Amino acid sequence: MIILEVEGQPIPWQRPGHRLLTQDGKKINIVYDKQKKEKEMVRWQLKGQFKEEKISTPMLIDLTFRMAVPKSTSAALRTQMLNGVVHHFKRPDVDNLAKFILDTMTGLI
């Protein structure tokens, strides 16, 4: 089993950005990654922990995200969250959190 940890607040995946440029009377649609810096920071952390050869077989991945308790949370709900009775239930959703990590791992792990 391989265990990797990424420090910091979990980051949800965002759609790529689009920019329309006009060049010589032609419209060019440029697509760019809005999260390039964040992905590089996470890749840097993963590279430091994973020094083996890339995995080329199917694998089972178990992701755990630790979310901060929102400041606007009531005292009663905060206590329940800290005790593990109530879990994170607002944005971002787990699909986008997982997609960011899995996209970042592509080609590295």
Side-chain angles (χ1 to χ4, degrees), residues 25-77:
K26 296 179 184 177
K27 292 183 179 179
I28 301 170
N29 188 25
I30 302 206
V31 180
Y32 62 96
D33 188 356
K34 296 188 280 188
Q35 296 180 301
K36 187 174 183 176
K37 289 181 185 177
E38 291 90 348
K39 285 182 181 176
E40 283 305 313
M41 289 187 338
V42 171
R43 287 178 69 84
W44 183 77
Q45 289 186 47
L46 293 173
K47 281 182 190 178
Q49 298 174 57
F50 188 77
K51 304 210 186 273
E52 301 170 30
E53 204 159 310
K54 293 177 188 174
I55 300 171
S56 60
T57 60
M59 60 181 140
L60 174 68
I61 298 177
D62 182 15
L63 299 171
T64 302
F65 299 100
R66 292 185 179 91
M67 309 298 287
V69 177
K71 292 180 181 178
S72 62
T73 306
S74 68
L77 187 56

